[in-house]
Amino acid sequence: MKYTILTLFPDLVRPWTEESIVQKAIQKGLIEVDIRDIRAHTEDKHKTVDDTPYGGGAGMVMRVDVVVRAIEAAGPADEVILLTPAAGRLPSLWWKSWPASRTWCWFVVATRALTRAWSTL
């Protein structure tokens, strides 16, 4: 099973793959984890990923064009999963039922606005 993790903070995510059960699964060839920096898909010298907030409320808005380029550059995936703090918990029974032969692309920094925008593409 292959996981591609897209994040603004790859150095914070990488240690997760170098410890404990995840590291053992990688070493045994049971899973493959590819961690990618979303900022690598920006087009300006400042590597801007934030967009102008709208609609009130707290939080930042990520630029959809950057996210789309990052997901497309990750290559084909059977599933793209957008994790957001606004969503509920990801139940273990749900992800344990996923087929091992699939390729997963995890976007680990998402917002409700981004999720709505992605669903319209």
Side-chain angles (χ1 to χ4, degrees):
M1 189 177 304
K2 179 180 179 183
Y3 296 95
T4 301
I5 301 173
L6 305 173
T7 179
L8 293 173
F9 307 103
D11 292 336
L12 290 177
V13 176
R14 194 167 286 107
W16 173 76
T17 65
E18 298 167 351
E19 298 290 333
S20 187
I21 239 167
V22 176
Q23 180 188 35
K24 290 177 184 176
I26 292 170
Q27 289 172 344
K28 290 180 180 180
L30 299 173
I31 64 171
E32 180 183 339
V33 178
D34 181 16
I35 301 169
R36 295 176 177 234
D37 189 350
I38 295 168
R39 291 185 192 277
H41 303 283
T42 61
E43 295 180 337
D44 66 328
K45 68 179 182 176
H46 302 291
K47 300 197 177 291
T48 306
V49 295
D50 300 326
D51 205 351
T52 306
Y54 64 92
M60 298 297 294
V61 178
M62 292 191 67
R63 291 182 38 203
V64 175
D65 62 322
V66 174
V67 173
V68 169
R69 280 195 297 272
I71 291 172
E72 289 174 344
D78 296 309
E79 301 287 340
V80 176
I81 299 169
L82 302 176
L83 301 179
T84 170
R89 297 183 68 161
L90 185 63
S92 63
L93 289 175
W94 183 65
W95 60 263
K96 285 180 181 177
S97 67
W98 296 346
S101 61
R102 303 208 73 172
T103 300
W104 304 90
C105 180
W106 291 73
F107 183 79
V108 296
V109 180
T111 65
R112 282 179 298 191
L114 176 62
T115 305
R116 283 194 304 269
W118 177 257
S119 67
T120 63
L121 294 176

